[in-house]
Amino acid sequence: MKIKTSRLISVLSGALAYLAFCVFYLIPLVFTFVYAFLKSPFQMEFHVFDNFSYLIGNRYFRLGFQNLLVLGLSMALLSFLCSILIAPVLSANPRLAGLAIIILILPVVIPSVSASAVWKNVFETRSILESGKARLALLSLFVWKYAGLGSAVLFSGLKRIPESLTDAAKIDGAKSIRTYFSIRLPAIPGEMGAVIGLNIVFMLRLYKESYLLFGAYPSGKAYMLQNYMNHQYTNMSFQYVAASAVILIAFAVVLYAIVYFLLIKRRGAL
């Protein structure tokens, strides 16, 4: 009787989780794709690719997507490079690694409102709207928040590498830097892929920090795709919001596919 009761509870819990996934994620996602091909949510007429054609021809959409592509990928790449440089320092000092990881992960849990308030004072964002320092503010904030998390993930992978692998390289005369980049890093493609994937996730959420720093109408150097989507939502042009979201989803899928085939898939070949 107890076994049947526990099994029933497990089934109900799974069903509730699946129902919540459908209600709060899957169904809204389906409606997003449907609205992307409508003339408007108030006129249920399918216009196939008219909304996408309008977006491609809109200079503000192109500006937002260009900034997301250039600035966002630059942030993700720089954060990844910083993680690569910090991880061996943690690995070389295992006694202090625990405390160091707590300090490095701390920026992730600090509310963006608090961090943005500090960045506003440091970069004087009131005068930044007309200068190229806007990108520097966003770039430094992104690296400060997320590079530490990536280094912690890489450190966890480096700890699993057998010492015999690195000892053999030292016997052959390989320096520590060459051993790290030629042997240790290639041995943890899964962790490297995870770090890049996390950076992509955070990159796609960059609008929150941009909004807190510069408001709803930033300069062209900090204008993100989500700014454009927010403006279209305010204008009740929901079809353009949905079409922009579909393009953003496709962009994210392409990035994740590249990461998978370049790094994670290599795990089976090692």
Side-chain angles (χ1 to χ4, degrees):
M1 187 67 178
K2 292 183 178 179
I3 297 177
K4 291 184 178 180
T5 303
S6 61
R7 184 176 299 177
L8 179 61
I9 293 174
S10 300
V11 172
L12 290 176
S13 300
L16 288 175
Y18 179 74
L19 179 62
F21 173 77
C22 291
V23 172
F24 296 108
Y25 181 79
L26 190 59
I27 295 176
L29 184 63
V30 171
F31 275 102
T32 298
F33 276 84
V34 172
Y35 286 150
F37 296 94
L38 294 178
K39 182 178 182 180
S40 77
F42 311 104
Q43 300 178 20
M44 305 296 287
E45 300 177 11
F46 282 92
H47 276 219
V48 194
F49 297 109
D50 288 358
N51 294 332
F52 297 95
S53 299
Y54 172 83
L55 292 178
I56 294 174
N58 187 283
R59 66 188 183 96
Y60 292 107
F61 175 85
R62 294 199 306 268
L63 175 63
F65 189 82
Q66 177 184 343
N67 285 337
L68 179 64
L69 183 65
V70 176
L71 184 58
L73 291 181
S74 298
M75 291 177 178
L77 178 60
L78 183 58
S79 178
F80 178 65
L81 292 177
C82 290
S83 300
I84 287 179
L85 296 178
I86 297 173
V89 178
L90 298 176
S91 182
N93 301 275
R95 294 183 179 180
L96 300 177
L99 177 60
I101 288 175
I102 293 176
I103 296 174
L104 290 170
I105 296 180
L106 186 60
V108 180
V109 300
I110 293 178
S112 297
V113 175
S114 302
S116 299
V118 176
W119 253 253
K120 281 185 178 181
N121 294 326
V122 173
F123 288 92
E124 299 180 357
T125 55
R126 290 183 180 179
S127 62
I128 218 173
L129 296 177
E130 302 299 331
S131 71
K133 292 182 180 179
R135 290 186 174 182
L136 179 60
L138 286 173
L139 184 63
S140 59
L141 179 59
F142 185 91
V143 173
W144 173 77
K145 286 199 70 171
Y146 304 120
L149 177 62
S151 62
V153 174
L154 293 179
F155 170 70
S156 65
L158 293 175
K159 288 197 304 182
R160 296 188 290 101
I161 299 177
E163 294 184 2
S164 58
L165 190 64
T166 56
D167 290 340
K170 291 179 181 179
I171 293 175
D172 292 337
K175 301 295 183 180
S176 57
I177 296 179
R178 183 177 180 182
T179 301
Y180 177 64
F181 285 100
S182 300
I183 297 177
R184 301 179 70 190
L185 273 182
I188 54 170
E191 285 75 8
M192 293 176 65
V195 173
I196 295 177
L198 287 172
N199 284 330
I200 292 175
V201 171
F202 297 136
M203 176 197 77
L204 296 175
R205 295 168 51 193
L206 185 63
Y207 171 70
K208 177 175 63 175
E209 283 78 11
S210 177
Y211 182 84
L212 292 172
L213 284 175
F214 312 118
Y217 298 93
S219 66
K221 295 182 181 298
Y223 189 85
M224 309 301 293
L225 179 59
Q226 292 89 339
N227 286 107
Y228 177 80
M229 296 170 65
N230 185 54
H231 298 159
Q232 293 299 322
Y233 179 82
T234 304
N235 295 333
M236 299 186 69
S237 299
F238 302 124
Q239 69 276 17
Y240 298 137
V241 178
S244 300
V246 170
I247 293 176
L248 190 61
I249 292 171
F251 176 63
V253 170
V254 170
L255 290 180
Y256 285 125
I258 293 173
V259 173
Y260 175 79
F261 285 107
L262 291 182
L263 291 174
I264 300 178
K265 195 175 181 181
R266 290 185 54 192
R267 179 183 296 181
L270 296 176

